[in-house]
Amino acid sequence: MTYRDVPTETMDRLFLYMRALTCLRREKSETVSSSRLAEICNVNAPKVRKDLSYFGEFGVRGVGYNVNELLDHIRRILKLDRSVNVALIGAGNIGRALITHSSFQLEGFNISMAFDIDREKIGTRVGSITVEDMMDFPDRVEEEGIDLAILAVPEEVAPEIARIIADTNIISILSFAPCELCMPENVKVTCVDLSMEMARLLYNSRQTVTRKKKERKP
C-alpha cells in the first residue's frame, strides 16, 4: 500500500497524533496507550489503532506505544524528519514573537529569514536574524530554496505581499492576516484568524455548557 491509498482523514489525524506525542515527549513520558492517545486527540482508541495499522505494526500489548519511536515514525511518514527552513514576512509584534518561539526549532521548523517593507525595521535584528527588504524576497528565497512562508502582516497589505509570493517557488503559506488570499492552485494557504478562532471556541464552549445543563435536568 502506498500513502496515496491511505484515507485523507487518517493522514489528517497523523498531525493530531504528532502534536500529542510531542507534548508527551516534552513531559518525558516513555510510553502511551492507544486509549490515552485517543483521549488526548479526541478520537476513539480503535480509530487510533486502525490509523497506525496502515503504516505497520506499533506498540506492545499491555504496554502501549513507545512515544519517541512512534513520534519519529510519524514524522518520517509526514516527511518532517528533517529541518525545514521558513521565511517570515512581517517583523512586527506577531512576527517577532514567532521568530523567538523556541518550539519551532524543536519541531524541525527553522525561521531562517525575515522580511519587511518598513524601512525602520529593515536591517534590524530579531534574535539571530536580520530583517531584510521585501523587495529582495523573490531572489533570496530562491537562493535558499524556501518552500514555506509565514505571513504576519496587516490585512491591508496582505494581497500585495501575496502577489509577490505568487511569483516565487513558495508552495505553502501560513497566514495570520484575517483575509482570503488569491493564490495559484499549486500554493496551499492556511489562514489563522485569531478573532474567529476565539469566537468559535467561545461558541463551542457555550454549546457544551448548555447541553450539559439540559442533560442534568430531570
Side-chain angles (χ1 to χ4, degrees):
M1 174 183 290
T2 65
Y3 292 167
R4 287 180 299 179
D5 300 320
V6 178
T8 301
E9 295 81 4
T10 292
M11 296 302 296
D12 287 341
R13 282 192 292 272
L14 288 185
F15 290 95
L16 296 179
Y17 304 152
M18 182 176 72
R19 181 172 61 185
L21 290 164
T22 298
C23 292
L24 289 167
R25 184 175 66 179
R26 289 175 186 163
E27 295 170 358
K28 302 190 184 304
S29 298
E30 295 183 359
T31 60
V32 61
S33 65
S34 59
S35 58
R36 176 57 179 152
L37 186 56
E39 180 184 13
I40 297 172
C41 298
N42 198 29
V43 298
N44 58 61
K47 186 167 290 184
V48 170
R49 293 192 290 270
K50 182 176 181 180
D51 286 343
L52 296 178
S53 70
Y54 284 108
F55 308 99
E57 296 184 4
F58 305 95
V60 177
R61 184 180 294 274
V63 177
Y65 304 108
N66 180 287
V67 170
N68 286 328
E69 290 180 2
L70 183 57
L71 177 58
D72 289 344
H73 197 95
I74 290 177
R75 290 184 67 86
R76 284 195 295 273
I77 293 169
L78 298 175
K79 301 186 185 302
L80 295 173
D81 54 330
R82 56 181 60 86
S83 181
V84 177
N85 287 330
V86 180
L88 180 134
I89 305 167
N93 292 334
I94 293 178
R96 289 172 179 268
L98 292 172
I99 291 173
T100 56
H101 191 36
S102 61
S103 68
F104 277 127
Q105 289 197 356
L106 289 175
E107 304 315 322
F109 293 96
N110 175 41
I111 298 180
S112 58
M113 314 174 76
F115 298 85
D116 208 294
I117 60 175
D118 187 341
R119 290 294 169 187
E120 293 186 1
K121 292 186 176 72
I122 296 170
T124 62
R125 291 183 67 82
V126 182
S128 60
I129 297 175
T130 299
V131 179
E132 302 182 48
D133 192 331
M134 189 62 199
M135 295 296 293
D136 298 327
F137 180 83
D139 291 336
R140 293 287 288 122
V141 296
E142 184 175 353
E143 290 172 5
E144 299 297 325
I146 302 291
D147 293 326
L148 172 63
I150 298 176
L151 193 57
V153 300
E155 179 178 0
E156 58 269 20
V157 300
E160 175 188 351
I161 300 299
R163 285 192 289 271
I164 296 175
I165 297 175
D167 290 332
T168 71
N169 293 324
I170 296 289
I171 58 174
S172 304
I173 299 173
L174 177 64
S175 174
F176 285 88
C179 63
E180 294 298 321
L181 301 177
C182 295
M183 301 297 292
E185 288 186 5
N186 64 307
V187 180
K188 302 301 180 184
V189 180
T190 294
C191 293
V192 180
D193 187 332
L194 296 180
S195 61
M196 288 298 100
E197 292 303 320
M198 286 189 288
R200 182 182 292 110
L201 174 62
L202 184 59
Y203 173 80
N204 289 334
S205 298
R206 286 172 172 169
Q207 290 294 98
T208 300
V209 171
T210 300
R211 185 176 65 252
K212 288 184 176 180
K213 285 182 178 179
K214 290 180 179 179
E215 291 172 352
R216 286 198 296 266
K217 287 183 178 180

